[in-house]
Amino acid sequence: MEATRSDDPSLNPIRNRNPNPNPNPNPLSTIISSAQVWPTIDGPLGLTEEASVDYARRFYKFGFALLPWLWFVNCFYFWPVLRHSRAFPQIRNYVVRSAIGFSVFTALLSAWALTFSIGGEQLFGPLYDKLVMYNVADRLGLSGLA
Amino acid sequence: MDRNQRPRSILDSLGEELIAILTPVSICSFTVVLLVCILNSDPSSSSASFSSIATAAYSESDSDSSWDKFVGALLNSVVFVAAITVATFVLVLLFYLRCVKFLKFYMGFSAFIVLGNLGGEILVLLIDRFRFPIDSITFLILLFNFSVVGVFAVFMSKFSILITQGYLVWIGVLVAYFFTLLPEWTTWVLLVALALYDIAAVLLPVGPLRLLVEMAISRDEDIPALVYEARPVIRNDSRSVQRRVWREQRSSQNNANRNEVRVVESAEVEEEHVGSSERAEISVPLIDRRPEQAENSETFLEGIGLGSSGAIKLGLGDFIFYSVLVGRAAMYDLMTVYACYLAIIAGLGITLMLLSVYQKALPALPVSIMLGVVFYFLARLLLEVFVVQCSSNLVMF
């Protein structure tokens, strides 16, 4: 841990509320005011607005490769974009579309999975035994740790 | 609450950082213990079929004498540590030749293999155990999703911190579970050997991790590797700015590298392929150059230190071996689990304190592993007898 705690400005009894001007040229560190809304859920630790448009677009496009989880992560990561509906119009476009994609895909997938698990043998007959995971694992020898 | 009146003491911030690193270690250990308890309840399914680089020299069987087992375990450990050393030196060489892209790609690929292969196997075991009526199509889609997003989380530097941390912990859990499947004597001797190796690699001047750290410092780069970085704490007093200017902290990441490599390799080899290419995959570091605050350079490293954003970084190898120790203790009884868990947490606390004193990269394994091993044997040999006698005679304290 840091040895700089001894001269930490926070221990100075007279503290001003403004962030101290620091020599570090990093723009993120200087912007600690609460007026700015960050597009990512990490806040000041996350992306800037320009980079996040790029990220949102990439996640949205990649999600079409049968990756609804990626769409969900997209929505999770850019949650402030969904909450503050007026800021970040470009990012919002992709995030909303990701959310819709995720919901549709989840609905389809869960419909299939529930049909399979609830229907069981009665609905599928011999096909059930061929598709259910533990039988597939036994057949392929996966459940025996090499 | 007006913070002007009450300045934050060192205990407030220290406690916050400690909790930030203790929580994922605890979650990892707890999950491994849970998996061990669920999946190993059948004693007939022994780990005799589990072979890896760690059992290449000698595979333990129940009929050998204690001395044979001990010597065999020593041989296994020597082979394993030698393999790790070689792999780490290869990593140092690659880093020296600036093959950053290759290392980054390798890391992503190894994460995919671990998540897909090992994760899939664990899930199949769980499904088999509980007879969960999921069909293979859904399972494959879910597994594919999980693995690919995991690769994104590990590969990309600017990703959701929470998800990246979650995936790193999960990778640690997977690899640790497979390590607990090693034979018993081999596991314990291996843990001690790795702790000694960690000291040597990090603190000796010729240690590969130390070389890696120094190279990273001199080039002012981050080593790409799988490293768990606690969320950096943002304060209005811009103390985080002060942390960033430290350079020596990066060295700790390098030390972490080694252990990662170690861990990864063993995980990969458990499928009986001893291809060197697999090993390489795991040790791929992910170099990410981030002048901003919250970069995560994921390096599969052991060792502990401060990230360039001031957050504490703990290599994933540390997670894995702590969890292996606790998982192996769980195979005996839950009493040893409690003893070992407390020992590991105490060791980690001591290591963090040493980190704050010495301000440089430190090996995170030795203290915790030594305490854990000592406590395991004390609990098993001495404490159990005492507690069982007390309980069965209804003597409470």
Side-chain angles (χ1 to χ4, degrees):
Chain A
M1 287 162 231
E2 318 83 277
T4 56
R5 287 184 200 273
S6 53
D7 41 64
D8 196 323
S10 71
L11 298 180
N12 190 340
I14 306 172
R15 280 181 49 190
N16 51 358
R17 290 203 156 249
N18 299 326
N20 299 329
N22 58 78
N24 195 303
N26 188 334
L28 277 181
S29 64
T30 54
I31 306 171
I32 310 189
S33 64
S34 57
Q36 170 152 12
V37 178
W38 295 92
T40 66
I41 202 173
D42 287 335
L45 296 171
L47 299 166
T48 60
E49 192 169 337
E50 306 80 40
S52 38
V53 175
D54 195 34
Y55 269 64
R57 187 188 315 127
R58 255 197 284 164
F59 285 166
Y60 172 65
K61 296 221 172 110
F62 265 109
F64 279 106
L66 285 186
L67 291 170
W69 179 241
L70 189 60
W71 278 331
F72 176 75
V73 166
N74 201 9
C75 301
F76 173 75
Y77 193 37
F78 292 110
W79 182 250
V81 172
L82 285 178
R83 273 191 52 204
H84 306 272
S85 52
R86 267 167 291 113
F88 317 115
Q90 304 155 299
I91 310 176
R92 189 178 165 75
N93 192 14
Y94 292 115
V95 173
V96 164
R97 282 198 243 164
S98 303
I100 296 174
F102 170 70
S103 328
V104 166
F105 201 103
T106 309
L108 290 174
L109 195 63
S110 48
W112 159 249
L114 282 174
T115 312
F116 187 84
S117 55
I118 297 179
E121 299 249 11
Q122 304 143 321
L123 196 57
F124 288 94
L127 196 60
Y128 181 80
D129 281 330
K130 273 204 262 179
L131 280 179
V132 79
M133 195 58 212
Y134 42 83
N135 285 347
V136 172
D138 283 336
R139 248 184 301 142
L140 297 177
L142 293 173
S143 51
L145 276 188
Chain B
M1 166 160 343
D2 193 351
R3 289 164 71 178
N4 283 340
Q5 256 66 1
R6 195 175 67 93
R8 286 172 71 100
S9 68
I10 188 171
L11 276 179
D12 286 334
S13 41
L14 196 62
E16 209 171 316
E17 285 163 0
L18 261 178
I19 296 295
I21 205 74
L22 284 181
T23 308
V25 171
S26 309
I27 292 176
C28 191
S29 308
F30 175 72
T31 313
V32 171
V33 168
L34 203 61
L35 280 177
V36 164
C37 288
I38 291 177
L39 293 175
N40 286 26
S41 51
D42 175 15
S44 63
S45 61
S46 67
S47 56
S49 61
F50 178 68
S51 61
S52 75
I53 183 70
T55 52
Y58 161 79
S59 48
E60 188 173 313
S61 62
D62 292 330
S63 56
D64 292 345
S65 70
S66 295
W67 179 249
D68 280 342
K69 285 189 194 173
F70 181 64
V71 170
L74 267 182
L75 286 175
N76 277 339
S77 311
V78 164
V79 168
F80 193 65
V81 170
I84 295 260
T85 317
V86 167
T88 314
F89 272 112
V90 167
L91 183 64
V92 170
L93 186 68
L94 285 176
F95 191 65
Y96 182 69
L97 299 175
R98 298 177 190 268
C99 305
V100 171
K101 279 272 182 230
F102 173 74
L103 292 175
K104 191 161 173 162
F105 169 74
Y106 184 73
M107 232 187 97
F109 182 68
S110 69
F112 183 71
I113 292 280
V114 168
L115 283 174
N117 208 359
L118 301 189
E121 197 149 330
I122 294 264
L123 289 175
V124 162
L125 286 174
L126 283 172
I127 288 175
D128 210 25
R129 169 80 172 73
F130 289 117
R131 311 305 284 177
F132 200 61
I134 193 172
D135 63 304
S136 36
I137 303 171
T138 314
F139 177 75
L140 279 174
I141 290 180
L142 292 176
L143 185 66
F144 173 66
N145 265 276
F146 198 62
S147 317
V148 171
V149 177
V151 170
F152 270 108
V154 158
F155 205 73
M156 290 168 56
S157 37
K158 273 292 200 192
F159 203 72
S160 167
I161 292 182
L162 192 66
I163 293 187
T164 308
Q165 289 175 339
Y167 267 108
L168 286 174
V169 169
W170 180 245
I171 290 178
V173 165
L174 292 178
V175 180
Y177 178 74
F178 277 93
F179 261 92
T180 60
L181 298 175
L182 291 174
E184 190 171 5
W185 284 75
T186 307
T187 313
W188 292 109
V189 178
L190 186 67
L191 281 172
V192 174
L194 284 173
L196 295 173
Y197 174 68
D198 201 17
I199 300 179
V202 171
L203 298 176
L204 285 183
V206 296
L209 285 186
R210 187 168 170 151
L211 295 176
L212 211 51
V213 169
E214 283 163 8
M215 266 199 283
I217 292 178
S218 63
R219 290 191 209 164
D220 199 21
E221 277 177 4
D222 285 327
I223 306 168
L226 289 172
V227 159
Y228 181 93
E229 178 173 343
R231 183 184 289 257
V233 184
I234 306 293
R235 301 190 208 285
N236 280 336
D237 55 0
S238 71
R239 202 159 22 140
S240 48
V241 177
Q242 286 170 319
R243 296 181 197 168
R244 205 174 309 119
V245 297
W246 270 348
R247 292 280 175 254
E248 317 103 56
Q249 306 318 322
R250 305 230 184 139
S251 57
S252 53
Q253 304 164 9
N254 293 328
N255 302 320
N257 243 336
R258 244 206 344 196
N259 291 335
E260 259 70 350
V261 171
R262 212 175 318 174
V263 181
V264 177
E265 291 176 352
S266 21
E268 290 317 289
V269 202
E270 45 95 14
E271 302 294 340
E272 296 184 18
H273 325 140
V274 195
S276 56
S277 57
E278 274 181 344
R279 263 190 247 169
E281 290 171 348
I282 309 212
S283 57
V284 168
L286 186 77
I287 290 192
D288 177 60
R289 206 180 153 72
R290 292 263 157 200
E292 300 161 25
Q293 256 184 338
E295 42 69 50
N296 299 335
S297 59
E298 269 71 42
T299 350
F300 210 64
L301 298 176
E302 262 178 30
I304 197 167
L306 286 180
S308 38
S309 57
I312 294 188
K313 285 191 177 206
L314 184 62
L316 207 58
D318 294 332
F319 276 80
I320 290 172
F321 284 112
Y322 294 161
S323 305
V324 169
L325 199 152
V326 178
R328 178 46 77 170
M331 285 180 171
Y332 183 68
D333 193 47
L334 280 183
M335 187 179 4
T336 45
V337 168
Y338 301 138
C340 291
Y341 173 71
L342 290 174
I344 286 180
I345 297 295
L348 191 59
I350 294 175
T351 313
L352 289 175
M353 276 197 282
L354 286 177
L355 179 70
S356 66
V357 166
Y358 283 107
Q359 300 295 330
K360 52 184 263 209
L362 288 180
L365 271 192
V367 180
S368 287
I369 296 285
M370 293 306 184
L371 275 180
V373 170
V374 165
F375 270 61
Y376 173 79
F377 284 109
L378 283 179
R380 178 168 174 168
L381 298 172
L382 301 178
L383 186 66
E384 184 188 12
V385 177
F386 175 66
V387 168
V388 166
Q389 290 293 321
C390 281
S391 307
S392 56
N393 289 308
L394 296 180
V395 173
M396 307 291 179
F397 290 96

